[in-house]
Amino acid sequence: MSVDPSRIRNFCIIAHIDHGKSTLADRLLEYTDTVGQKDMQAQVLDDMDLERERGITIKSHAIQMNFHHEGTDYVLNLIDTPGHVDFSYEVSRSIAACEGALLIVDAAQGIQAQTISNLYMAIDNNLEIIPVINKIDLDSANPEEVEDQIVDLLGCDHTDIIRASGKTGQGIPEILEAIVNRVPAPVADKDAPLQALIFDSVFNPFRGIIAYFKIVNGTLRHGDLVKFVATGKEYHADEIGVLKLQMSPRQELSAGNVGYIISGIKTSREVRVGDTITHVERPCARAIEGFEEVKPMVFAGVYPIDPEDFENLRASLEKLQLNDASLTFQPESSMALGFGFRCGFLGLLHMEIVQERLSREFNMDVITTVPNVSYNVYDKRGTKTEVHNPSGLPDPTLIERIEEPYIRASVITAAEYIGPIMTLCLGKRGELVKQEYISGNRMEMIFDMPLGEIVIDFYDKLKSISKGYASFDYHLHDFRPSKLVKLDILLNGESVDALSTLTHADNALSFGRRMCEKLKELIPRQQFDIAIQAAIGAKIIARETVKAVRKDVTAKCYGGDISRKRKLLEKQKQGKKRMKQIGSVEVPQKAFLAVLKLD
């Protein structure tokens, strides 16, 4: 049976990290009896172990609810989204499949940076916004002040704002009524040619690839022959259905609905998030406008610990990319680490999560190199090349200038932390663009900063100096010429390309010195001296030596002539020299990770 589009409501939940989205979603599912008591657990939509352990949402999750209101049965499709800035691409995809959004603000913390950026994304897509103040049962809650902030931000009435608590369930009926009354039904024609937008996909080892879609126009029936527009491939719809807590098969789905399709697709390249599904016999005139291509911010090399696992790593990354379309990768090789992949991530948390998922879901142990960003390099002829990796830099004599990416960053914090945050951002070569009071004691500061300065440890430092009260959000702003140098790390005169970095000339000396000191602690002692050097071009700027492990060869000489001892020491010295020529230095995995946490 197909549902009339006028009785369908598609909405997502957007908020800053840790404002209680997933808990509120639990209450909505409980209230509409979508999830039975025996299946109920905290954060029921966060089905990944990682999400439960860290208490963050990584994937957006879709689920369908049935709600009876004033004698009519409504179908509500809820998409719960992540709140961290590194997963904003998930949010943009969810927003593309919805007509309305619940904007959730914590009653104790007020509006934060990610709230604002997700809100603008929703407004750009013409979503109906329903503001909700969550956690009003907390002792530290200040709903009146937060209500004023929301009114300032949205320009809505005080009466439009719903007060709720995900913990106690207060305000849940009001939220559901607001969704039915305020979110518009999807504008859809179920008799038009089929047009469905793929907004997510997952890999199932038994059934192949499962694509999640929203039908914009037309009707899809079980067994139909369908075509994926971007790849041009044709398939039979072996199973279609809606997303309850488990997948629930249906015979047909009509316009306005959100559902899934299984058609026995085995290779991950054949499904693209943002693609359009249509019928082979009666195709739609044009594809739906997808979402913009994702721009990775941080690049790092990912290498298998065992070189024989290269193909397994490729297969694992392809399967992971299905589930996380913001991950990009291409093959590369390194002198020190062999064959691997150059991966693009949206940020450091994203990189950490991908590494963790590779190890848990695919049993892949990997080495990750120092993360860096992409630079535009102009040579003397004016040709521009994009460099992601310090080893790809042309000869310094041929370079006219290097431009590095700058971001426009927004930091929202309480007034007492302005000093330390200002010091941190200016120390990272940031420029203050403007600062203004949002409300009461809360301040927003806008900085232009080089992306390369924030990829390593900026976010952790910001959290610690503001005791967790500063929120941070950024987007790519432009490229600017900069005085960058390539810093190489040499072990016994051999360059380790996995440890080389591009850094600003002013920071190179201190960074090189700290790297050498750190590596001296981590590299195990050998039978010969190991020289650890930091170099810019041919100029050595720092050096440390790991002393050799020595045997006391003179122990058996007691008394007698000194020349006997000299002879033995000389013999040992020759042996060490020979050993140094053939000995190689193994760089332990810890050394690659320690560079990220130099301070």
Side-chain angles (χ1 to χ4, degrees):
M1 80 154 201
S2 68
V3 185
D4 181 31
S6 66
R7 299 212 313 277
I8 296 174
R9 300 288 183 273
N10 299 319
F11 70 100
C12 58
I13 301 184
I14 55 176
H16 189 80
I17 189 167
D18 206 22
H19 280 206
K21 299 177 290 303
S22 301
T23 313
L24 206 70
D26 290 352
R27 295 295 85 77
L28 293 171
L29 297 177
E30 245 176 12
Y31 191 84
T32 55
D33 292 328
T34 306
V35 179
Q37 280 303 315
K38 71 176 195 306
D39 293 324
M40 197 62 209
Q41 53 177 351
Q43 279 105 18
V44 71
L45 290 181
D46 292 349
D47 52 10
M48 220 185 289
D49 297 343
L50 261 177
E51 294 181 311
R52 301 189 155 281
E53 282 167 27
R54 293 178 174 235
I56 56 175
T57 305
I58 294 167
K59 283 288 301 160
S60 50
H61 296 270
I63 191 164
Q64 190 177 85
M65 305 182 281
N66 298 91
F67 179 55
H68 187 78
H69 179 60
E70 294 178 356
T72 313
D73 285 320
Y74 291 94
V75 171
L76 311 181
N77 290 310
L78 151 70
I79 303 180
D80 177 26
T81 63
H84 196 282
V85 62
D86 278 12
F87 304 111
S88 56
Y89 187 63
E90 289 285 329
V91 183
S92 74
R93 287 164 27 192
S94 310
I95 285 175
C98 294
E99 283 80 37
L102 292 182
L103 177 75
I104 293 182
V105 183
D106 186 322
Q109 297 181 48
I111 286 176
Q112 298 200 295
Q114 195 59 27
T115 317
I116 296 175
S117 91
N118 285 344
L119 171 70
Y120 287 151
M121 216 189 292
I123 290 174
D124 287 345
N125 280 291
N126 300 323
L127 266 60
E128 177 64 37
I129 310 287
I130 301 173
V132 177
I133 297 181
N134 193 19
K135 305 191 186 182
I136 59 165
D137 56 315
L138 292 179
D139 297 337
S140 57
N142 191 347
E144 282 76 20
E145 189 184 313
V146 176
E147 219 171 74
D148 291 340
Q149 290 176 21
I150 294 176
V151 170
D152 286 347
L153 183 68
L154 275 176
C156 59
D157 292 334
H158 282 273
T159 50
D160 293 341
I161 301 170
I162 302 169
R163 294 189 181 189
S165 162
K167 200 170 177 184
T168 62
Q170 179 184 343
I172 298 299
E174 289 84 347
I175 291 176
L176 286 163
E177 280 174 31
I179 290 166
V180 167
N181 296 331
R182 282 152 63 177
V183 173
V187 180
D189 177 1
K190 57 184 181 184
D191 301 321
L194 175 69
Q195 265 186 319
L197 175 74
I198 301 178
F199 66 87
D200 205 354
S201 56
V202 290
F203 179 78
N204 181 314
F206 306 107
R207 313 202 59 183
I209 290 159
I210 304 169
Y212 297 161
F213 59 79
K214 176 199 176 180
I215 301 183
V216 179
N217 285 313
T219 304
L220 178 62
R221 291 178 186 80
H222 175 256
D224 279 357
L225 185 62
V226 295
K227 180 170 114 178
F228 286 37
V229 176
T231 57
K233 302 271 193 206
E234 298 178 4
Y235 310 99
H236 284 281
D238 299 337
E239 180 180 314
I240 58 169
V242 295
L243 298 154
K244 296 283 190 179
L245 194 55
Q246 268 75 38
M247 294 184 291
S248 167
R250 296 280 187 271
Q251 280 306 308
E252 73 168 49
L253 289 175
S254 60
N257 242 312
V258 173
Y260 69 90
I261 177 170
I262 300 176
S263 44
I265 306 172
K266 292 289 184 284
T267 51
S268 51
R269 291 189 202 88
E270 294 176 21
V271 177
R272 297 253 296 278
V273 168
D275 195 0
T276 305
I277 304 175
T278 187
H279 279 130
V280 173
E281 287 169 10
R282 192 174 156 223
C284 55
R286 59 188 181 85
I288 304 165
E289 293 287 315
F291 357 90
E292 77 281 4
E293 275 295 297
V294 57
K295 285 286 289 182
M297 295 282 189
V298 175
F299 293 89
V302 173
Y303 294 86
I305 286 181
D306 182 354
E308 289 171 5
D309 284 341
F310 176 71
E311 282 305 323
N312 294 349
L313 179 60
R314 183 198 295 271
S316 308
L317 283 169
E318 281 178 357
K319 286 171 189 167
L320 196 56
Q321 195 179 31
L322 271 178
N323 197 271
D324 177 0
S326 53
L327 170 69
T328 58
F329 63 91
Q330 63 203 50
E332 72 161 6
S333 65
S334 143
M335 293 287 288
L337 301 169
F339 290 102
F341 292 94
R342 178 110 201 115
C343 297
F345 307 97
L346 294 184
L348 272 192
L349 177 70
H350 185 211
M351 172 172 138
E352 207 179 309
I353 295 291
V354 166
Q355 217 174 330
E356 190 77 18
R357 285 182 71 183
L358 279 173
S359 129
R360 289 187 186 201
E361 295 172 26
F362 304 102
N363 279 333
M364 290 299 309
D365 284 330
V366 294
I367 294 177
T368 313
T369 62
V370 184
N372 51 32
V373 298
S374 63
Y375 298 92
N376 288 341
V377 179
Y378 292 85
D379 62 17
K380 297 270 163 71
R381 298 191 195 121
T383 318
K384 178 180 111 175
T385 44
E386 202 173 285
V387 174
H388 302 299
N389 197 340
S391 61
L393 212 61
D395 191 295
T397 53
L398 303 175
I399 298 173
E400 176 71 35
R401 68 179 192 281
I402 303 179
E403 291 186 349
E404 64 175 332
Y406 266 69
I407 54 165
R408 176 63 58 93
S410 149
V411 180
I412 296 181
T413 181
E416 62 259 34
Y417 303 118
I418 290 174
I421 289 175
M422 198 82 94
T423 312
L424 172 71
C425 293
L426 298 178
K428 296 277 186 189
R429 309 199 325 248
E431 297 163 14
L432 183 66
V433 179
K434 67 170 185 180
Q435 58 182 48
E436 58 187 2
Y437 278 96
I438 303 177
S439 62
N441 187 27
R442 299 166 59 73
M443 183 106 189
E444 178 177 32
M445 295 186 278
I446 307 277
F447 290 95
D448 278 352
M449 297 171 71
L451 181 59
E453 291 281 345
I454 71 156
V455 295
I456 292 189
D457 55 359
F458 175 79
Y459 199 65
D460 298 342
K461 282 185 179 166
L462 180 72
K463 283 282 175 231
S464 59
I465 60 175
S466 65
K467 302 189 173 58
Y469 279 109
S471 61
F472 177 70
D473 180 56
Y474 61 87
H475 59 266
L476 201 59
H477 188 53
D478 57 4
F479 279 80
R480 299 184 190 178
S482 188
K483 198 171 152 199
L484 295 166
V485 290
K486 180 184 169 194
L487 182 73
D488 286 313
I489 298 295
L490 312 173
L491 295 180
N492 279 347
E494 293 278 314
S495 168
V496 182
D497 60 350
L499 289 174
S500 62
T501 48
L502 274 176
T503 180
H504 195 266
D506 299 348
N507 304 344
L509 194 66
S510 64
F511 187 67
R513 200 168 286 156
R514 295 205 318 262
M515 288 261 279
C516 290
E517 285 164 6
K518 195 75 185 171
L519 287 170
K520 184 183 176 183
E521 293 167 24
L522 294 167
I523 290 179
R525 288 171 71 185
Q526 307 278 358
Q527 297 279 353
F528 50 88
D529 282 3
I530 303 169
I532 304 169
Q533 294 166 312
I536 296 172
K539 183 183 170 195
I540 305 290
I541 56 168
R543 170 178 172 137
E544 294 286 336
T545 308
V546 179
K547 280 302 202 190
V549 185
R550 300 185 71 116
K551 177 184 170 193
D552 186 4
V553 287
T554 58
K556 62 184 180 192
C557 298
Y558 44 93
D561 190 10
I562 185 72
S563 60
R564 288 177 63 199
K565 287 189 180 179
R566 285 232 177 90
K567 193 171 149 193
L568 288 168
L569 287 170
E570 206 55 45
K571 198 170 157 192
Q572 183 186 32
K573 201 168 168 186
Q574 293 301 325
K576 296 278 182 206
K577 204 168 173 182
R578 256 200 323 277
M579 207 181 280
K580 185 170 184 171
Q581 286 164 355
I582 57 165
S584 64
V585 185
E586 286 291 311
V587 183
Q589 162 73 16
K590 281 189 301 206
F592 295 107
L593 299 176
V595 179
L596 309 186
K597 306 186 173 69
L598 265 183
D599 293 330

